[in-house]
Amino acid sequence: EVEKIIWRGNPSQLVDIKCYLLCGLFFWTVLPLFVMFWNYLKVKNTKFQLSSQRLIVTQGVFNKKTEQIELYRVKDIHLDEPLLMRIFGLGNIHLDSSDKELKKQILPAISSPNELKNMIRDAVEELRISRNVREMDFR
């Protein structure tokens, strides 16, 4: 099966709004301007890519780190929509997986989060069916 890209995106800058507001209060000391710029670059250089087989997360300004979760390993999807984010149509998507290295992944401040959550859920189910994967929990 050929892997196809379903969705690409990155977090909103609203994810660091508290830092921006605090730094804005003390901008005259110059250091907060560097902190704001650094946080801007970190968020701007965080990329999410959902394919038909995996979720790929790339982060880093100077040194890039790429992590991926095979979709058939995703166990649960949660949507968190704090009030401030809901005002702007944003939300946090939490993925729990059976991956040993990456048990939890958060997609912060994503626009149209309910739509993306449903896309992920559909892609997970479709991949599990096509690969005949069953999930079993042992306690």
Side-chain angles (χ1 to χ4, degrees):
E1 178 181 323
V2 178
E3 185 173 18
K4 60 183 184 266
I5 304 301
I6 299 171
W7 176 85
R8 283 189 178 123
N10 52 336
S12 166
Q13 289 294 334
L14 192 67
V15 79
D16 281 335
I17 191 71
K18 291 176 188 172
C19 174
Y20 295 146
L21 291 174
L22 189 61
C23 288
L25 292 174
F26 298 100
F27 72 93
W28 46 270
T29 62
V30 181
L31 182 62
L33 296 176
F34 291 110
V35 172
M36 284 174 60
F37 184 64
W38 180 252
N39 283 344
Y40 170 80
L41 287 176
K42 283 191 334 186
V43 172
K44 187 73 174 162
N45 287 294
T46 299
K47 309 274 186 231
F48 304 118
Q49 183 173 304
L50 176 66
S51 76
S52 57
Q53 297 181 10
R54 57 195 167 146
L55 174 70
I56 302 166
V57 179
T58 305
Q59 297 174 312
V61 177
F62 297 119
N63 299 318
K64 296 283 185 187
K65 178 181 179 183
T66 301
E67 299 176 316
Q68 61 185 15
I69 298 175
E70 296 293 329
L71 289 182
Y72 67 84
R73 291 182 179 265
V74 172
K75 296 176 106 185
D76 205 5
I77 305 167
H78 307 279
L79 176 58
D80 178 27
E81 295 177 287
L83 178 61
L84 182 62
M85 285 191 186
R86 270 192 23 226
I87 292 170
F88 294 97
L90 304 172
N92 302 319
I93 298 175
H94 300 259
L95 301 175
D96 297 328
S97 76
S98 60
D99 191 300
K100 285 184 169 77
E101 297 293 319
L102 204 61
K103 290 206 177 283
K104 295 188 181 288
Q105 178 64 53
I106 300 173
L107 307 178
I110 298 296
S111 61
S112 303
N114 202 34
E115 205 174 291
L116 179 59
K117 182 186 86 154
N118 291 332
M119 276 190 233
I120 294 171
R121 184 188 175 284
D122 293 343
V124 166
E125 290 303 316
E126 191 174 307
L127 187 62
R128 282 186 177 170
I129 290 169
S130 72
R131 291 195 177 176
N132 201 21
V133 174
R134 302 282 184 253
E135 180 182 327
M136 298 176 99
D137 284 328
F138 297 101
R139 293 179 189 236

